[in-house]
Amino acid sequence: MLYAMIAKDAPGSGQLRLDTRPAHLNHLEALGKKLVFAGALLDAQDQPEGSLVVFEAETLEEAHRMAEADPFVAAGVFGSIEIRRWRLAINTSGAEL
C-alpha cells in the first residue's frame, strides 16, 4: 500500500532545514525500496516550504513510523505532518510502481 506524507515547514525553519538536510537525505536513502518518491514543496520563490514523500508500507502505523524517523521531524523542521493513504492513478514517469 502507498502512503503520502504531506509536511509543511515550521515558520522560520529555513536554516534548520538546510542544516538537517544531509541527515534527512540519508534517512530517505536508508528506506530503500519502501521510498517511492520524495521532494520539497516549493513556495512562489521556489524555496522549500515543506515536503511530499510517498512510502510503501503494510499499514498506516508503519508509514507513521517511517515519517517520524525522519531527522526533519526530530529537528523541528516540520510544523505539521499529514499521512494519507494514496493510490497511483496515472504514471507517465516510466518508473514501475
Side-chain angles (χ1 to χ4, degrees):
M1 291 185 271
L2 298 176
Y3 293 88
M5 175 182 82
I6 303 102
K8 301 288 181 80
D9 289 359
S13 64
Q15 186 60 51
L16 186 57
R17 173 182 266 275
L18 289 173
D19 295 344
T20 311
R21 189 169 186 267
H24 164 72
L25 294 177
N26 286 339
H27 164 71
L28 293 176
E29 288 178 18
L31 293 174
K33 292 192 180 241
K34 289 197 173 271
L35 176 66
V36 177
F37 62 79
L41 298 171
L42 303 176
D43 65 15
Q45 292 76 40
D46 286 338
Q47 296 301 306
E49 65 177 0
S51 295
L52 174 64
V53 180
V54 175
F55 304 108
E56 187 170 333
E58 294 297 317
T59 64
L60 177 62
E61 291 77 20
E62 181 186 4
H64 272 282
R65 284 192 301 273
M66 285 190 280
E68 291 165 5
D70 191 318
F72 276 179
V73 173
V77 172
F78 296 143
S80 68
I81 299 174
E82 181 179 3
I83 308 289
R84 302 289 306 264
R85 180 87 168 85
W86 185 73
R87 178 178 48 221
L88 178 67
I90 298 173
N91 176 15
T92 61
S93 72
E96 189 174 318
L97 302 177

